[in-house]
Amino acid sequence: MKRLVYADNAATTPLSPRVLEAMLPYLREAYGNPSSLYALGQEAKEAVEQSRAAVAQCLGAQPNEIYFTSGGSESDNWAVKGTAHLLAKKGKKHLITTKFEHHAVLHAMAALEKEGFSVTYLDVHENGVVLPEELEQALREDTALVSVMYANNEIGTIQPIAEIGAVCKRHGVLFHTDAVQAVGNLTIDVKAQNIDMLSLSAHKFHGPKGVGALYLRRGIPLANLIDGGAQERGRRAGTENVAGIVGLGAAIQEACGDMAARAARLTAMRDRLIDGVLKIERSRLNGDRARRLPGNANFCFEGIEGESLLLMLDASGIAASSGSACTSGSLDPSHVLLAIGLPHAVAHGSLRISLSGQNTEEDVDFLLEKLPPIVARLRAMSPLWEDIVNGKSIS
């Protein structure tokens, strides 16, 4: 049987066996609607509330501050659009975000700009990190919201969230963070870090797809994104995805339970991978070397196209990506790599390798064995490579 090394965990993670086991009863015998008053419905409701408590505990929140959604994109849209529409009534129509957010935030911001809101897009600099002092300089009297992702989904750089939260609190501005990549990988305390809203998605930490949550600090009367029934205390209509919510709760308990040991092991594997890959001529690591997610390594290789690299890696039994799975059909270079200053030609030759706790040292060995000859083969086929090595660098 052909060996498969799955190294695209930033796109999605395989479902944990323990999570699947927790979900199965709610797909079979405990299938009641949580809004029903009879025992079968109340059993489902109790399971939903237990998962709500598990999410809250991992984030340092209260259970009544957790609202279940269909995933990170919905949570991002709810936080961004809900805050904008809420505070527009008070004349606050200015929003701040960064140039390398997930498209769920960027496209929500673009939609709001069409409604007459103004948006400031902060630089993230070569190392992929936002500077709190630049955020503070961008704040205005009419600023309603700051939305800065906790950790970037492509290059893995971790933002100074506590410092950003402190700036926002000092100026009385609401702060949202897309923590889809961070939850389960990093220790989060929404109270200590002054986070008002936080988005997460279960499938990024070995839970099921199609379910996520929004942490909404108590007392924020956020406008609803989805109206209808009275589910989620009247804030998010739609019959609850009970099995998915149970899976989210089980996954977040598992991820937060062994986070420190797993992060240490992943960081060592990641650093060994980075050291090995950077031995390839004209390769570069994208983003800060140390301030990054434990399992994330993002590279560029001059003289090759990322799509060809991915296809040849796949033929060798390695599943990786060139960036966000949400834009995998685009021919344009990554907006994240352009935001950190890479030219278009170099940004096209990117590779994201994202490891999880299910990866092994042998997987890293396999990656370091297969990747260099593939890069060499693609460069041998490239009409640009000879010009690059002769000093006509496209970087």
Side-chain angles (χ1 to χ4, degrees):
M1 184 177 178
K2 182 179 177 181
R3 177 170 184 175
L4 170 65
V5 171
Y6 183 72
D8 198 18
N9 289 278
T12 196
T13 54
L15 194 67
S16 161
R18 190 182 306 175
V19 171
L20 176 59
E21 184 179 352
M23 293 174 64
L24 284 176
Y26 298 92
L27 293 166
R28 293 172 174 166
E29 59 269 16
Y31 50 80
N33 187 319
S35 298
S36 301
L37 295 179
Y38 44 76
L40 195 64
Q42 292 304 296
E43 182 181 3
K45 181 178 180 180
E46 183 179 353
V48 168
E49 295 311 314
Q50 287 175 351
S51 291
R52 198 185 310 277
V55 174
Q57 183 176 15
C58 189
L59 300 180
Q62 295 299 314
N64 62 4
E65 296 175 310
I66 305 300
Y67 297 87
F68 292 116
T69 67
S70 64
S73 291
E74 182 190 330
S75 297
D76 285 344
N77 273 264
W78 188 9
V80 171
K81 293 177 180 177
T83 303
H85 292 146
L86 170 70
L87 294 181
K89 301 171 186 175
K90 299 182 178 180
K92 295 193 172 187
K93 300 190 70 174
H94 175 237
L95 312 167
I96 298 175
T97 189
T98 78
K99 293 178 179 179
F100 77 161
E101 295 293 308
H102 189 277
H103 280 112
V105 169
L106 291 178
H107 289 174
M109 292 287 182
L112 289 167
E113 285 183 290
K114 293 178 181 178
E115 296 180 25
F117 290 84
S118 63
V119 181
T120 297
Y121 297 90
L122 297 174
D123 289 325
V124 292
H125 307 285
E126 184 180 3
N127 66 345
V129 177
V130 175
L131 297 178
E133 56 267 31
E134 292 185 355
L135 164 64
E136 191 157 26
Q137 291 167 7
L139 290 170
R140 305 184 335 201
E141 287 296 321
D142 63 340
T143 301
L145 175 73
V146 170
S147 182
V148 176
M149 66 192 336
Y150 205 116
N152 186 264
N153 53 304
E154 291 191 29
I155 61 175
T157 49
I158 301 168
Q159 303 309 310
I161 293 298
E163 292 89 337
I164 290 171
V167 169
C168 292
K169 184 177 182 180
R170 189 160 60 245
H171 290 270
V173 175
L174 292 178
F175 173 41
H176 164 254
T177 184
D178 176 339
V180 166
Q181 296 292 333
V183 172
N185 289 308
L186 303 171
T187 300
I188 297 173
D189 187 331
V190 292
K191 305 301 184 185
Q193 294 171 299
N194 294 306
I195 298 169
D196 297 303
M197 290 164 280
L198 178 148
S199 305
L200 63 90
S201 189
H203 75 107
K204 303 297 188 179
F205 46 89
H206 301 287
K209 298 175 183 65
V211 62
L214 176 69
Y215 156 73
L216 176 62
R217 181 174 57 79
R218 187 168 53 186
I220 301 176
L222 197 66
N224 288 2
L225 184 67
I226 299 176
D227 292 311
Q231 294 89 354
E232 293 302 287
R233 304 185 297 285
R235 306 297 295 273
R236 195 272 187 185
T239 301
E240 295 90 344
N241 173 9
V242 178
I245 290 169
V246 168
L248 189 161
I252 205 166
Q253 280 185 311
E254 188 173 22
C256 292
D258 68 348
M259 187 188 302
R262 187 180 69 255
R265 187 175 74 86
L266 276 176
T267 299
M269 290 168 58
R270 177 203 72 192
D271 289 346
R272 187 163 73 86
L273 177 68
I274 291 172
D275 289 339
V277 172
L278 291 182
K279 293 177 182 177
I280 298 173
E281 183 183 5
R282 291 186 184 268
S283 62
R284 61 162 284 157
L285 177 71
N286 297 315
D288 192 89
R289 173 69 192 250
R291 195 184 182 103
R292 66 190 312 118
L293 290 168
N296 178 287
N298 187 296
F299 306 97
C300 277
F301 305 95
E302 288 190 61
I304 64 173
E305 287 286 333
E307 184 176 359
S308 300
L309 178 59
L310 295 182
L311 291 172
M312 293 187 73
L313 285 170
D314 184 43
S316 298
I318 297 169
S321 70
S322 59
S324 171
C326 299
T327 56
S328 60
S330 173
L331 295 177
D332 296 327
S334 160
H335 73 287
V336 172
L337 299 183
L338 296 181
I340 63 173
L342 294 188
H344 280 66
V346 175
H348 269 296
S350 65
L351 173 68
R352 180 183 68 181
I353 296 174
S354 48
L355 308 174
S356 79
Q358 295 188 10
N359 287 110
T360 65
E361 294 286 353
E362 289 73 24
D363 290 341
V364 175
D365 293 337
F366 192 73
L367 284 160
L368 292 175
E369 173 192 342
K370 297 296 183 180
L371 180 59
I374 290 175
V375 171
R377 181 180 173 189
L378 287 171
R379 283 172 167 171
M381 298 164 57
S382 170
L384 297 174
W385 181 240
E386 188 175 345
D387 287 342
I388 291 172
V389 296
N390 288 330
K392 301 177 182 178
S393 175
I394 56 175
S395 63

